[in-house]
Amino acid sequence: MPDLTGQVAFVTGAARGQGRSHALALAAAGADIIAIDLCRDVDTAPYPLATRADLDATAKEIEGLGRRVIAAECDVRDGGGLDDVVRRGVAEFGRIDILVANAGIWALGRLWELTDEQWQEMLDINLTGAWRSVKAVVPTMIEQRRGSIVLTSSVNGFEAGAGMTHYVAAKHGVLGLMRNAAIELGPYNIRCNAVCPGIVDTKMNDWQGAYDMMAGGPGGTPQDRRDNAYGWSAIAGRGLLEPSSISGSVVFLASDDARDITGVALPVDGGHAVLPGSNPNPVREV
């Protein structure tokens, strides 16, 4: 495991799922953690989001690893709130070396049926929230002349996904943000990369709409979700990926082991990106 002893990592969306896994992996590697999460639901996410109790549980696990932690409720759509948490982190820990901009939501909806609210909330959280998080930590990193930023995109940062236009647009945008950040921040010895997960076993895709999508129609079940996930991977035995699999890549990209890597979009998807595709239901007559 890379050694992050003496470093401080800021992780957004840290209360559960991939964010909690990333925070714990960074702490296990030696970093102190600033963990934030919204800790309430949003109108357009069709599943319950994390709670304050979830965030507190993350903090307790970090402390159990012998690391210091700040756990704060903060909305990545609130630039002032992010600035406040950064100031608190620097005041208590003296520095911020790593940002993992992981906070995000997922939802379904055909592009012509999406409401303005559904479109805007998805972009505000998944894309603008990532930009605001970067913007908040960069002044400290510039002053240090050191930093590593890891953004969470998706395989949908590379490819389309029927019925999730707003999500796909946001995750494509995250890769554009990452590449431009790598160019603009490189002269200050700050690196920026992205991880692009496949289908990961988290609450984000554990709800009825996701079951139906995986089943190919209404009436899907949790078992459909689990069984059909195997079709997303090229490697034997890979279905729903464990969050810890993504975390290993996050820790690597954050660490000095990746000191010469910037501007990279790294798929962690069981080989999903190399699978050949075809239209399973072509329209033969119009």
Side-chain angles (χ1 to χ4, degrees), residues 173-240:
V174 168
L175 294 187
L177 169 64
M178 176 273 293
R179 292 179 178 119
N180 239 63
I183 290 173
E184 295 188 24
L185 299 175
Y188 302 98
N189 196 33
I190 302 168
R191 299 181 295 108
C192 188
N193 296 286
V195 288
C196 299
I199 184 167
V200 184
D201 190 9
T202 68
K203 296 292 186 182
M204 180 179 283
N205 54 56
D206 191 3
W207 53 282
Q208 189 60 51
Y211 308 155
D212 294 346
M213 183 190 77
M214 296 297 281
T221 67
Q223 193 62 44
D224 289 319
R225 169 182 176 262
R226 187 160 297 278
D227 290 345
N228 291 332
Y230 290 103
W232 284 56
S233 299
I235 306 172
R238 305 302 197 277
L240 292 168

Side-chain angles (χ1 to χ4, degrees), residues 25-26 28 34 37 68 82 88-89 118 155 167 181 213 221 225 239 245 252 281:
L26 291 160
I34 304 166
D37 208 291
R68 298 178 294 170
L82 287 164
R88 179 183 171 191
Q118 288 173 309
V155 292
Y167 181 80
M213 183 190 77
T221 67
R225 169 182 176 262
S245 179
F252 167 69
N281 188 28

Side-chain angles (χ1 to χ4, degrees), residues 6 9 23 53 83 92 116 127 146 148 176 181 183 202 208 242 246 263 272:
D83 291 341
E92 293 191 26
D116 286 355
L127 176 55
R146 172 188 174 85
S148 178
I183 290 173
T202 68
Q208 189 60 51
E242 292 297 324
I246 316 304
H272 173 79

